[in-house]
Amino acid sequence: MVQPDIAVEADGAVAWFCLRSQPKHEHIAARHLRCMEAVEVFNPRVRFARPTRKGPVWVTEAMFPNYLFARFDWKISLSRVHYAPGVSNVVHFGSRWPTVPNQIIAQMRVALGENEIQIVSNELAPGDPVRIAGGTFHGLQAVITQVMPARDRVMVLMDFLGRQTTVELGMNSIIKQTGQR
């Protein structure tokens, strides 16, 4: 697989490479790669609440779906890494094998912490847009008007049957919508 004329964009032979995993197999590829000698793995993930009919469920998914990062000596380990279970291929463009700078991986590691997980906060405040998860209003969007932390409840304003209605809901039955404010 490795040919002498392959160009690697790194100062030395050991560098960070971007790997494409098989669909939804980032964690499997990371586990197998971590068992390999002289291979370091970085698999950034995000943890968030997903709405379901039974209420919010916390899930953990890859931050970069179908991708993870591995640091290895490409002269020695390229074939082993490429054919590891869960790995689809090492990202390359023709005969060029781009590398990821060490400082980029270091910055992401500092931001994510030791567990490589970014937790998306579900803290609520008046004005936050939310989606109702479970119950009669499942899937409807609303805006928080009041937070009642002592009772684990919130008041939300929502459009229902053609008019705006205020409803009191349990905090465990709503999910904060990100990217909207």
Short mmCIF file of all heavy atoms in Angstrom, two decimals, residues 117-172:
data_model
loop_
_atom_site.label_atom_id
_atom_site.label_comp_id
_atom_site.label_asym_id
_atom_site.label_seq_id
_atom_site.Cartn_x
_atom_site.Cartn_y
_atom_site.Cartn_z
N ILE A 117 -15.06 14.63 25.32
CA ILE A 117 -16.50 14.81 25.13
C ILE A 117 -16.90 16.26 25.42
O ILE A 117 -16.53 16.81 26.45
CB ILE A 117 -17.32 13.88 26.06
CG1 ILE A 117 -17.07 12.41 25.70
CG2 ILE A 117 -18.80 14.19 25.97
CD1 ILE A 117 -17.78 11.43 26.60
N GLN A 118 -17.66 16.85 24.51
CA GLN A 118 -18.25 18.17 24.72
C GLN A 118 -19.69 17.95 25.13
O GLN A 118 -20.47 17.36 24.37
CB GLN A 118 -18.19 19.00 23.42
CG GLN A 118 -18.92 20.30 23.48
CD GLN A 118 -18.22 21.30 24.39
OE1 GLN A 118 -17.03 21.48 24.31
NE2 GLN A 118 -18.98 21.95 25.24
N ILE A 119 -20.06 18.40 26.31
CA ILE A 119 -21.43 18.24 26.78
C ILE A 119 -22.20 19.51 26.43
O ILE A 119 -21.80 20.60 26.83
CB ILE A 119 -21.49 17.94 28.28
CG1 ILE A 119 -20.76 16.63 28.56
CG2 ILE A 119 -22.93 17.91 28.78
CD1 ILE A 119 -20.62 16.28 30.02
N VAL A 120 -23.28 19.33 25.69
CA VAL A 120 -24.12 20.46 25.31
C VAL A 120 -25.08 20.71 26.47
O VAL A 120 -25.90 19.84 26.79
CB VAL A 120 -24.89 20.19 24.00
CG1 VAL A 120 -25.81 21.34 23.67
CG2 VAL A 120 -23.92 19.93 22.87
N SER A 121 -24.94 21.86 27.09
CA SER A 121 -25.73 22.18 28.28
C SER A 121 -27.20 22.30 27.94
O SER A 121 -27.58 22.80 26.89
CB SER A 121 -25.23 23.50 28.88
OG SER A 121 -26.07 23.88 29.94
N ASN A 122 -28.01 21.86 28.88
CA ASN A 122 -29.45 21.99 28.73
C ASN A 122 -30.00 22.98 29.75
O ASN A 122 -31.16 22.92 30.12
CB ASN A 122 -30.13 20.61 28.88
CG ASN A 122 -31.45 20.55 28.16
OD1 ASN A 122 -31.71 21.31 27.24
ND2 ASN A 122 -32.30 19.65 28.59
N GLU A 123 -29.12 23.90 30.26
CA GLU A 123 -29.57 24.90 31.21
C GLU A 123 -30.57 25.83 30.53
O GLU A 123 -30.37 26.25 29.39
CB GLU A 123 -28.37 25.70 31.75
CG GLU A 123 -27.47 24.87 32.63
CD GLU A 123 -26.33 25.68 33.19
OE1 GLU A 123 -26.47 26.92 33.31
OE2 GLU A 123 -25.31 25.07 33.52
N LEU A 124 -31.60 26.14 31.25
CA LEU A 124 -32.70 26.90 30.67
C LEU A 124 -32.83 28.28 31.29
O LEU A 124 -32.56 28.47 32.47
CB LEU A 124 -34.01 26.13 30.87
CG LEU A 124 -34.01 24.70 30.30
CD1 LEU A 124 -35.24 23.95 30.79
CD2 LEU A 124 -33.95 24.73 28.80
N ALA A 125 -33.26 29.25 30.47
CA ALA A 125 -33.48 30.62 30.92
C ALA A 125 -34.65 31.20 30.14
O ALA A 125 -34.94 30.75 29.02
CB ALA A 125 -32.23 31.45 30.69
N PRO A 126 -35.34 32.19 30.70
CA PRO A 126 -36.44 32.83 29.95
C PRO A 126 -35.94 33.34 28.59
O PRO A 126 -34.86 33.88 28.48
CB PRO A 126 -36.86 33.99 30.86
CG PRO A 126 -36.49 33.52 32.23
CD PRO A 126 -35.22 32.74 32.05
N GLY A 127 -36.74 33.09 27.58
CA GLY A 127 -36.39 33.50 26.23
C GLY A 127 -35.79 32.37 25.39
O GLY A 127 -35.69 32.49 24.18
N ASP A 128 -35.37 31.28 26.06
CA ASP A 128 -34.78 30.16 25.32
C ASP A 128 -35.84 29.42 24.51
O ASP A 128 -36.91 29.08 25.03
CB ASP A 128 -34.14 29.14 26.28
CG ASP A 128 -32.84 29.60 26.87
OD1 ASP A 128 -32.25 30.57 26.33
OD2 ASP A 128 -32.40 28.99 27.86
N PRO A 129 -35.55 29.16 23.23
CA PRO A 129 -36.47 28.33 22.45
C PRO A 129 -36.27 26.87 22.85
O PRO A 129 -35.15 26.42 23.07
CB PRO A 129 -36.03 28.58 21.00
CG PRO A 129 -34.62 29.04 21.10
CD PRO A 129 -34.45 29.68 22.44
N VAL A 130 -37.36 26.12 22.96
CA VAL A 130 -37.31 24.71 23.34
C VAL A 130 -38.22 23.90 22.44
O VAL A 130 -39.11 24.43 21.78
CB VAL A 130 -37.72 24.51 24.83
CG1 VAL A 130 -36.73 25.16 25.78
CG2 VAL A 130 -39.12 25.02 25.10
N ARG A 131 -37.98 22.60 22.45
CA ARG A 131 -38.86 21.65 21.76
C ARG A 131 -39.39 20.71 22.84
O ARG A 131 -38.66 20.25 23.70
CB ARG A 131 -38.10 20.86 20.70
CG ARG A 131 -39.01 19.89 19.94
CD ARG A 131 -38.29 19.23 18.77
NE ARG A 131 -37.84 20.16 17.77
CZ ARG A 131 -38.59 20.66 16.78
NH1 ARG A 131 -39.85 20.31 16.68
NH2 ARG A 131 -38.08 21.48 15.90
N ILE A 132 -40.67 20.43 22.78
CA ILE A 132 -41.30 19.57 23.78
C ILE A 132 -41.07 18.12 23.38
O ILE A 132 -41.27 17.73 22.23
CB ILE A 132 -42.80 19.89 23.91
CG1 ILE A 132 -42.95 21.37 24.33
CG2 ILE A 132 -43.47 18.95 24.89
CD1 ILE A 132 -44.35 21.90 24.30
N ALA A 133 -40.61 17.33 24.35
CA ALA A 133 -40.29 15.93 24.12
C ALA A 133 -41.23 15.06 24.96
O ALA A 133 -41.17 15.07 26.18
CB ALA A 133 -38.83 15.64 24.49
N GLY A 134 -42.08 14.34 24.30
CA GLY A 134 -43.00 13.43 24.98
C GLY A 134 -44.32 14.10 25.31
O GLY A 134 -44.47 15.32 25.25
N GLY A 135 -45.28 13.28 25.63
CA GLY A 135 -46.60 13.77 26.04
C GLY A 135 -47.44 14.28 24.88
O GLY A 135 -47.13 14.09 23.71
N THR A 136 -48.50 14.97 25.23
CA THR A 136 -49.47 15.47 24.26
C THR A 136 -48.88 16.46 23.27
O THR A 136 -49.25 16.49 22.11
CB THR A 136 -50.63 16.16 25.01
OG1 THR A 136 -51.13 15.27 26.00
CG2 THR A 136 -51.74 16.54 24.07
N PHE A 137 -47.94 17.27 23.72
CA PHE A 137 -47.38 18.32 22.88
C PHE A 137 -46.06 17.92 22.21
O PHE A 137 -45.33 18.77 21.74
CB PHE A 137 -47.15 19.59 23.72
CG PHE A 137 -48.39 20.10 24.39
CD1 PHE A 137 -48.46 20.18 25.78
CD2 PHE A 137 -49.49 20.50 23.65
CE1 PHE A 137 -49.60 20.66 26.40
CE2 PHE A 137 -50.63 20.98 24.26
CZ PHE A 137 -50.69 21.06 25.65
N HIS A 138 -45.74 16.64 22.16
CA HIS A 138 -44.46 16.16 21.62
C HIS A 138 -44.15 16.79 20.25
O HIS A 138 -44.98 16.80 19.35
CB HIS A 138 -44.46 14.64 21.46
CG HIS A 138 -43.19 14.11 20.85
ND1 HIS A 138 -42.01 14.08 21.54
CD2 HIS A 138 -42.92 13.64 19.61
CE1 HIS A 138 -41.07 13.59 20.75
NE2 HIS A 138 -41.60 13.32 19.57
N GLY A 139 -42.94 17.33 20.14
CA GLY A 139 -42.48 17.89 18.87
C GLY A 139 -42.79 19.36 18.67
O GLY A 139 -42.22 19.98 17.77
N LEU A 140 -43.67 19.93 19.47
CA LEU A 140 -44.01 21.34 19.30
C LEU A 140 -42.89 22.23 19.84
O LEU A 140 -42.18 21.86 20.77
CB LEU A 140 -45.32 21.68 20.03
CG LEU A 140 -46.58 21.01 19.48
CD1 LEU A 140 -47.79 21.40 20.32
CD2 LEU A 140 -46.81 21.40 18.02
N GLN A 141 -42.75 23.41 19.26
CA GLN A 141 -41.76 24.37 19.71
C GLN A 141 -42.42 25.39 20.61
O GLN A 141 -43.61 25.70 20.45
CB GLN A 141 -41.10 25.06 18.51
CG GLN A 141 -40.26 24.11 17.70
CD GLN A 141 -39.56 24.82 16.55
OE1 GLN A 141 -39.91 25.91 16.17
NE2 GLN A 141 -38.54 24.17 16.03
N ALA A 142 -41.63 25.90 21.56
CA ALA A 142 -42.14 26.89 22.51
C ALA A 142 -40.98 27.78 22.95
O ALA A 142 -39.83 27.53 22.60
CB ALA A 142 -42.77 26.19 23.72
N VAL A 143 -41.31 28.82 23.72
CA VAL A 143 -40.31 29.72 24.28
C VAL A 143 -40.54 29.77 25.78
O VAL A 143 -41.68 29.94 26.25
CB VAL A 143 -40.43 31.14 23.67
CG1 VAL A 143 -39.47 32.11 24.34
CG2 VAL A 143 -40.20 31.10 22.17
N ILE A 144 -39.46 29.65 26.55
CA ILE A 144 -39.57 29.68 28.01
C ILE A 144 -39.90 31.10 28.45
O ILE A 144 -39.25 32.06 28.04
CB ILE A 144 -38.27 29.21 28.68
CG1 ILE A 144 -38.06 27.73 28.37
CG2 ILE A 144 -38.30 29.46 30.19
CD1 ILE A 144 -36.80 27.15 28.95
N THR A 145 -40.92 31.22 29.33
CA THR A 145 -41.27 32.51 29.89
C THR A 145 -40.86 32.61 31.35
O THR A 145 -40.60 33.69 31.85
CB THR A 145 -42.79 32.77 29.78
OG1 THR A 145 -43.49 31.73 30.45
CG2 THR A 145 -43.21 32.86 28.33
N GLN A 146 -40.79 31.46 32.04
CA GLN A 146 -40.42 31.47 33.46
C GLN A 146 -39.81 30.12 33.83
O GLN A 146 -40.31 29.07 33.42
CB GLN A 146 -41.66 31.74 34.31
CG GLN A 146 -41.40 31.82 35.79
CD GLN A 146 -42.68 32.07 36.58
OE1 GLN A 146 -43.77 32.17 36.02
NE2 GLN A 146 -42.56 32.16 37.89
N VAL A 147 -38.73 30.15 34.63
CA VAL A 147 -38.11 28.94 35.14
C VAL A 147 -38.42 28.83 36.62
O VAL A 147 -38.22 29.80 37.36
CB VAL A 147 -36.57 28.96 34.92
CG1 VAL A 147 -35.92 27.71 35.49
CG2 VAL A 147 -36.26 29.10 33.44
N MET A 148 -38.92 27.66 37.03
CA MET A 148 -39.25 27.43 38.43
C MET A 148 -38.40 26.26 38.94
O MET A 148 -38.87 25.13 39.02
CB MET A 148 -40.74 27.11 38.56
CG MET A 148 -41.63 28.25 38.08
SD MET A 148 -43.37 27.81 38.00
CE MET A 148 -43.44 27.08 36.36
N PRO A 149 -37.12 26.52 39.27
CA PRO A 149 -36.19 25.45 39.60
C PRO A 149 -36.58 24.64 40.83
O PRO A 149 -36.31 23.45 40.90
CB PRO A 149 -34.85 26.16 39.80
CG PRO A 149 -35.16 27.59 39.97
CD PRO A 149 -36.49 27.84 39.34
N ALA A 150 -37.22 25.27 41.82
CA ALA A 150 -37.60 24.54 43.03
C ALA A 150 -38.60 23.44 42.73
O ALA A 150 -38.62 22.42 43.41
CB ALA A 150 -38.16 25.50 44.07
N ARG A 151 -39.40 23.62 41.70
CA ARG A 151 -40.41 22.63 41.34
C ARG A 151 -40.01 21.84 40.10
O ARG A 151 -40.79 21.01 39.62
CB ARG A 151 -41.75 23.33 41.09
CG ARG A 151 -42.28 24.01 42.35
CD ARG A 151 -43.55 24.80 42.12
NE ARG A 151 -44.57 24.06 41.42
CZ ARG A 151 -45.49 24.62 40.65
NH1 ARG A 151 -45.52 25.93 40.51
NH2 ARG A 151 -46.39 23.89 40.03
N ASP A 152 -38.80 22.09 39.56
CA ASP A 152 -38.35 21.45 38.32
C ASP A 152 -39.38 21.61 37.21
O ASP A 152 -39.70 20.68 36.47
CB ASP A 152 -38.05 19.95 38.53
CG ASP A 152 -36.69 19.71 39.11
OD1 ASP A 152 -35.84 20.62 39.02
OD2 ASP A 152 -36.45 18.61 39.64
N ARG A 153 -39.89 22.83 37.09
CA ARG A 153 -40.91 23.12 36.08
C ARG A 153 -40.54 24.41 35.37
O ARG A 153 -39.77 25.23 35.86
CB ARG A 153 -42.31 23.25 36.70
CG ARG A 153 -42.65 22.19 37.66
CD ARG A 153 -43.65 21.15 37.38
NE ARG A 153 -44.78 21.38 36.57
CZ ARG A 153 -45.23 20.42 35.74
NH1 ARG A 153 -44.59 19.29 35.62
NH2 ARG A 153 -46.30 20.61 35.04
N VAL A 154 -41.14 24.61 34.19
CA VAL A 154 -40.98 25.86 33.43
C VAL A 154 -42.34 26.24 32.86
O VAL A 154 -43.20 25.39 32.64
CB VAL A 154 -39.97 25.72 32.26
CG1 VAL A 154 -38.57 25.54 32.78
CG2 VAL A 154 -40.34 24.61 31.31
N MET A 155 -42.50 27.53 32.63
CA MET A 155 -43.67 28.03 31.91
C MET A 155 -43.19 28.32 30.50
O MET A 155 -42.13 28.95 30.32
CB MET A 155 -44.22 29.32 32.55
CG MET A 155 -44.80 29.12 33.94
SD MET A 155 -46.36 28.21 33.93
CE MET A 155 -47.46 29.45 33.35
N VAL A 156 -43.93 27.86 29.52
CA VAL A 156 -43.56 28.11 28.12
C VAL A 156 -44.73 28.74 27.39
O VAL A 156 -45.89 28.53 27.73
CB VAL A 156 -43.13 26.81 27.40
CG1 VAL A 156 -41.90 26.22 28.04
CG2 VAL A 156 -44.24 25.79 27.34
N LEU A 157 -44.38 29.52 26.39
CA LEU A 157 -45.37 30.14 25.52
C LEU A 157 -45.29 29.40 24.20
O LEU A 157 -44.21 29.27 23.61
CB LEU A 157 -45.04 31.63 25.33
CG LEU A 157 -45.99 32.43 24.44
CD1 LEU A 157 -47.39 32.46 25.05
CD2 LEU A 157 -45.46 33.83 24.25
N MET A 158 -46.43 28.89 23.73
CA MET A 158 -46.43 28.12 22.49
C MET A 158 -47.67 28.43 21.68
O MET A 158 -48.67 28.89 22.21
CB MET A 158 -46.35 26.62 22.79
CG MET A 158 -47.47 26.12 23.68
SD MET A 158 -47.23 24.45 24.22
CE MET A 158 -48.05 23.57 22.95
N ASP A 159 -47.55 28.22 20.37
CA ASP A 159 -48.72 28.34 19.49
C ASP A 159 -49.45 27.01 19.51
O ASP A 159 -48.89 25.97 19.17
CB ASP A 159 -48.29 28.67 18.05
CG ASP A 159 -47.82 30.10 17.92
OD1 ASP A 159 -48.40 30.97 18.59
OD2 ASP A 159 -46.87 30.34 17.15
N PHE A 160 -50.71 27.04 19.93
CA PHE A 160 -51.50 25.82 20.01
C PHE A 160 -52.92 26.14 19.57
O PHE A 160 -53.55 27.06 20.10
CB PHE A 160 -51.47 25.26 21.44
CG PHE A 160 -52.15 23.94 21.58
CD1 PHE A 160 -51.60 22.81 21.02
CD2 PHE A 160 -53.35 23.83 22.27
CE1 PHE A 160 -52.23 21.58 21.14
CE2 PHE A 160 -53.98 22.61 22.40
CZ PHE A 160 -53.43 21.49 21.84
N LEU A 161 -53.40 25.41 18.59
CA LEU A 161 -54.74 25.59 18.04
C LEU A 161 -54.98 27.03 17.57
O LEU A 161 -56.03 27.63 17.80
CB LEU A 161 -55.81 25.18 19.05
CG LEU A 161 -55.78 23.71 19.50
CD1 LEU A 161 -56.81 23.46 20.59
CD2 LEU A 161 -56.03 22.79 18.31
N GLY A 162 -53.96 27.62 16.96
CA GLY A 162 -54.10 28.94 16.35
C GLY A 162 -53.97 30.11 17.30
O GLY A 162 -54.23 31.24 16.91
N ARG A 163 -53.60 29.87 18.54
CA ARG A 163 -53.41 30.99 19.46
C ARG A 163 -52.23 30.70 20.38
O ARG A 163 -51.84 29.55 20.58
CB ARG A 163 -54.66 31.28 20.26
CG ARG A 163 -55.05 30.17 21.19
CD ARG A 163 -56.34 30.48 21.91
NE ARG A 163 -56.50 29.46 22.94
CZ ARG A 163 -57.14 29.62 24.04
NH1 ARG A 163 -57.71 30.78 24.29
NH2 ARG A 163 -57.25 28.67 24.92
N GLN A 164 -51.68 31.77 20.96
CA GLN A 164 -50.57 31.59 21.88
C GLN A 164 -51.10 31.22 23.26
O GLN A 164 -52.02 31.86 23.77
CB GLN A 164 -49.73 32.86 21.95
CG GLN A 164 -48.96 33.10 20.66
CD GLN A 164 -47.89 34.16 20.83
OE1 GLN A 164 -47.98 35.02 21.69
NE2 GLN A 164 -46.88 34.08 20.00
N THR A 165 -50.50 30.17 23.80
CA THR A 165 -50.94 29.64 25.08
C THR A 165 -49.75 29.45 26.00
O THR A 165 -48.68 29.02 25.56
CB THR A 165 -51.63 28.26 24.87
OG1 THR A 165 -52.67 28.42 23.91
CG2 THR A 165 -52.20 27.72 26.16
N THR A 166 -49.93 29.75 27.29
CA THR A 166 -48.89 29.51 28.28
C THR A 166 -49.19 28.17 28.96
O THR A 166 -50.32 27.92 29.39
CB THR A 166 -48.87 30.63 29.34
OG1 THR A 166 -48.65 31.87 28.68
CG2 THR A 166 -47.76 30.40 30.34
N VAL A 167 -48.16 27.33 29.03
CA VAL A 167 -48.32 26.00 29.60
C VAL A 167 -47.18 25.75 30.58
O VAL A 167 -46.04 26.14 30.34
CB VAL A 167 -48.27 24.92 28.48
CG1 VAL A 167 -48.39 23.52 29.04
CG2 VAL A 167 -49.34 25.17 27.44
N GLU A 168 -47.48 25.08 31.69
CA GLU A 168 -46.46 24.70 32.66
C GLU A 168 -46.06 23.25 32.38
O GLU A 168 -46.91 22.37 32.28
CB GLU A 168 -47.03 24.83 34.08
CG GLU A 168 -46.00 24.57 35.16
CD GLU A 168 -46.56 24.80 36.55
OE1 GLU A 168 -47.34 25.74 36.76
OE2 GLU A 168 -46.20 24.00 37.44
N LEU A 169 -44.74 23.04 32.22
CA LEU A 169 -44.22 21.71 31.90
C LEU A 169 -43.07 21.35 32.83
O LEU A 169 -42.39 22.23 33.36
CB LEU A 169 -43.71 21.67 30.46
CG LEU A 169 -44.70 21.95 29.34
CD1 LEU A 169 -43.96 22.13 28.02
CD2 LEU A 169 -45.70 20.81 29.24
N GLY A 170 -42.83 20.07 32.97
CA GLY A 170 -41.67 19.60 33.71
C GLY A 170 -40.41 19.82 32.90
O GLY A 170 -40.42 19.71 31.66
N MET A 171 -39.30 20.15 33.59
CA MET A 171 -38.04 20.39 32.87
C MET A 171 -37.56 19.15 32.12
O MET A 171 -36.85 19.26 31.13
CB MET A 171 -36.95 20.84 33.85
CG MET A 171 -37.09 22.27 34.28
SD MET A 171 -35.63 22.77 35.17
CE MET A 171 -36.13 24.35 35.76
N ASN A 172 -37.98 17.98 32.58
CA ASN A 172 -37.55 16.76 31.90
C ASN A 172 -38.35 16.46 30.64
O ASN A 172 -38.11 15.47 29.97
CB ASN A 172 -37.62 15.56 32.86
CG ASN A 172 -39.05 15.27 33.29
OD1 ASN A 172 -39.96 16.06 33.07
ND2 ASN A 172 -39.24 14.15 33.94
#
